[in-house]
Amino acid sequence: MSVSQPALTPSTVSRRRFLTVAGAGVTTSALLTMLDARQAPAQIKGTTLRILQWSHFIPAYDAWFDNKFVKDWGDKNGVKVRVDHIPHLELPARMAAEFAAGAGHDIIMNGSSILTRLYYKSLADVSDIYDSIGKKRGGWIPTAKPLVEVEGKQYGIPMFYILLPMLYRKDLFDANNLKAPDTWELARVAARTLKPKGHPTGIQFSQCADANLNWRSVLFSFGGAETDPSGENILIDSKETREALRFAKALFDEGMTPEVFSWDDASDNRFLASGVGCWIHDAISAYRTTEDTNPDVFKNTYIGMEPAGPGGKRVSTSAANVYMIWKFSKNQPAAKEFLVHFMEEFKDGMVQSRGYNMPYLLGDAQKPMPIIGSDPKMQILQDFPKIVAFYGYPGPFTTPVQEVVNLFVLPDMFTRVARGQSVDDVMKWGVGEYQRIFSKHKRA
Amino acid sequence: MTTASLHGGPEPSARAAVVSAPARPAERMWWQSHSAQRKTFGYTLLAPAALYVLLLVGAPFLFSLWLAVSDANVGDPVAHFVGLENFRAAWEMDTFWIAFRNSVVFLVVAAIFKGLLGTSLAFLLLQNFRGKKLIRGLVVIPFTLPIAISVLSWKWMYDSQFSVINWVLSRAGLIGSYGSESWPVWLGQPHLALAACIAVNVWRTFPFSAIVLLAGFTAIPLEVLDAAKVDGCTFFQRFRHIVTPMIFPILMIGFLFDTVFTLSDLSVVYLLTQGGPANASKILPVLAYQIGIQAGNLGRGAAIALFLVPLLLPALILVLRNIKRREW
């Protein structure tokens, strides 16, 4: 038996290339070792780190983040950190401006509209810390990776997501012998029963972020989907979508008033806090608003599991939030170091956000979670990580889906049906919009 | 001894004749003429302004033209020429035509109301009354307030549940109670939503129309108006045959400004409805922003925004030609 020997060829590695590769290897391994040992690399000392993020819905979180969390980390590592806050709706415009200028912050946050696929060529590859954080904290929830991954590399660190569970008035349900809204059908029955008694329900039939999230929860729980898992093929034209549209029409006719056509993201908070609404499907900021403004209503407001669709499926479409590092950032080591620290101390953030920030890391999603694990009414939220989905589910948040989201195509489909257009007409319009957007991106 | 005599030049007597002969003026180039120099001086003074227009208006406009014919997107530094593809794509969009129609309705209705309210206010401010200066100061407040703050106040006034307008109307018995059929949902019913946005735009900018008109009115010689009065002209006759022709250039400039401001006003609609419900209040600037910036498709966003140009250009040419004609 002969063993073929590989032909010996003269080395083509130049001295310069050897030094470059070896240098990069040593730097990466040193960074990983330091990250592993939780010791900041000395080279970040004396540098400045600039972070751009939203103004949190829980103002106390921003105060803690800016004045305590960031300051402590900066003092410990000798890094001067500046945090700028802007409204979440302005983040995409600001990102476009910083990209065009090739300058700005080192770390930039994406909220709800995750723009990884649009900007990945200009973002730093953070696969190294994505993997190391995941390994250390029990792995990421399955839907986290598609948010930040392009061509096998990760260009962002999922920071937290925001759930939109059912918030319902248990006193009204009990007084009318209604079951908790564990399914969309039970929610509809409750709305039908309580609207004539002055307690309608409401979900935004308008062009706002919550409408995009809520109607996707309904669609996905009914078994519908916008695309296949690859994100390439449109699946919106299905009997499940038609079912979901019919359901929405019935829910509107029987249980809502026309005010839902004008609602923004905060209208349902006020609707619940005013004591009028029998249930809403919203983030727990609504629960907290009620706690602060109407204690009597708050006492009777309970949080329910994501309602199941006709087939028993539950999908909770949540608002994703991701940190990214610009490739043009001159302080990438400090930025990475900060993000690792942020994820390691995630539970502090969860406490400060009063349970608003939900964890992407399975290690942090273990029961009991801070705040929500100790509050009897909020404990149910600990079961959500299993059913959480984001835009594009079951596929990634691709650029065509991003355009569909930003043009509010899906909420418009539901709105048109609620306003009286036939399901067939609306499907024709909606499918046309999806096809037009997807084909345009394919051509590009 | 002169050099000439040394070299056999003319005799002194002849030399005197040469000296006394009128010197032939040196040949001067055209740019050395007095009028050319005056022109050069004029153009030099004009150059900074021309440069300013070229850099701050021409360059962005040319850049947006390039974006409109390219596949530029916000995350990619490289863009390729795609011809009129972006315009074709916009043309095929159902939403584009809704936004186009809404933009025209928005412009026309807002212009009518701004004209009526602006004229009335200008006439009121012409009268002599106590506190006139204070009132003149107060009326421009909507125009000077930060748009985000004023629009958010309107959003609260239009709130589906807590609208102060609705509660006042309800208490006055003009509409039913909250939850009833007659309770208007200002930002939720298609026609009301667009009307609500137009109302805020009118509220914000009609003081500007009033100030422009006021400037025109005060420039009219009182003798002319008095003579018309003596001749028995009514108020409307004086307005039609004297005031309007005399302030026509100012009116046109005001109209031009107002058209540009109204058509490019993104903030009011974006902050109140984002173009909803179901695109009922969507206008071209909002659509361009959503596609160009939020969805990242700069090329198509620019193409949609450029659709405003054919809408604005005829108005611009018409107005400028009219003013020019009246000057001569």
Side-chain angles (χ1 to χ4, degrees), chain B residues 58 69 83 107 124 136 146 151 179 202 223 229 279 288-289:
Chain B
V69 293
L107 175 70
L124 275 177
R136 275 193 183 186
V151 174
V202 170
E223 300 80 34
K229 267 186 204 171
N279 298 323
Y289 178 75

Side-chain angles (χ1 to χ4, degrees), chain A residues 32-64:
Chain A
L32 287 175
T33 313
M34 283 168 185
L35 293 177
D36 197 48
R38 302 305 322 115
Q39 179 199 348
Q43 79 243 38
I44 70 170
K45 268 194 181 153
T47 59
T48 301
L49 184 68
R50 289 158 305 167
I51 303 170
L52 179 70
Q53 62 186 39
W54 72 338
S55 302
H56 201 289
F57 279 109
I58 307 291
Y61 175 88
D62 280 347
W64 165 81

Side-chain angles (χ1 to χ4, degrees), chain A residues 62 64 66 72 74 145 148 257 280 310 320 345 355 368 382 401 421:
Chain A
D62 280 347
W64 165 81
D66 296 0
D72 287 354
K145 201 175 234 183
V148 293
T257 61
I280 59 169
E345 305 301 324
Q382 299 177 108
V401 172
Q421 274 192 33

Side-chain angles (χ1 to χ4, degrees), chain A residues 272-435:
Chain A
L272 181 75
S274 70
V276 174
C278 64
W279 63 258
I280 59 169
H281 190 261
D282 195 20
I284 60 160
S285 55
Y287 184 72
R288 293 299 184 202
T289 308
T290 310
E291 182 179 15
D292 297 338
T293 57
N294 196 338
D296 290 338
V297 170
F298 173 73
K299 201 170 61 193
N300 293 303
T301 300
Y302 279 64
I303 301 175
M305 190 57 183
E306 179 65 35
K313 191 176 180 183
R314 297 175 200 269
V315 182
S316 172
T317 313
S318 304
N321 293 281
V322 169
Y323 272 139
M324 293 156 174
I325 302 172
W326 283 116
K327 205 182 255 179
F328 61 67
S329 161
K330 292 187 173 64
N331 205 2
Q332 290 183 25
K336 285 187 176 180
E337 175 62 27
F338 177 79
L339 293 187
V340 171
H341 176 69
F342 176 85
M343 294 310 291
E344 293 207 328
E345 305 301 324
F346 181 83
K347 286 187 175 173
D348 283 355
M350 204 170 167
V351 171
Q352 296 301 327
S353 69
R354 297 164 78 191
Y356 193 81
N357 296 7
M358 287 295 286
Y360 284 107
L361 289 159
L362 293 170
D364 293 327
Q366 297 296 314
K367 292 180 187 178
M369 290 190 211
I371 303 285
I372 62 176
S374 54
D375 181 331
K377 287 203 281 185
M378 294 179 86
Q379 281 174 355
I380 191 110
L381 295 175
Q382 299 177 108
D383 295 328
F384 274 71
K386 289 175 277 185
I387 55 164
V388 160
F390 303 106
Y391 292 135
Y393 168 88
F397 189 22
T398 57
T399 44
V401 172
Q402 190 190 321
E403 186 164 336
V404 166
V405 168
N406 283 312
L407 291 178
F408 303 99
V409 176
L410 193 75
D412 279 0
M413 288 173 71
F414 281 86
T415 305
R416 283 167 185 246
V417 168
R419 281 208 169 277
Q421 274 192 33
S422 74
V423 170
D424 286 340
D425 283 353
V426 169
M427 282 301 293
K428 195 177 160 196
W429 174 82
V431 171
E433 287 293 292
Y434 272 84
Q435 283 172 343

Side-chain angles (χ1 to χ4, degrees), chain A residues 99 259 274 403 419 429 440, chain B residues 74 94 161 178 188 297 300:
Chain A
F99 165 78
E259 62 188 295
S274 70
E403 186 164 336
R419 281 208 169 277
W429 174 82
K440 186 196 75 191
Chain B
V74 291
D94 171 35
Q161 198 175 355
Y178 168 65
N297 197 329
R300 203 140 58 85

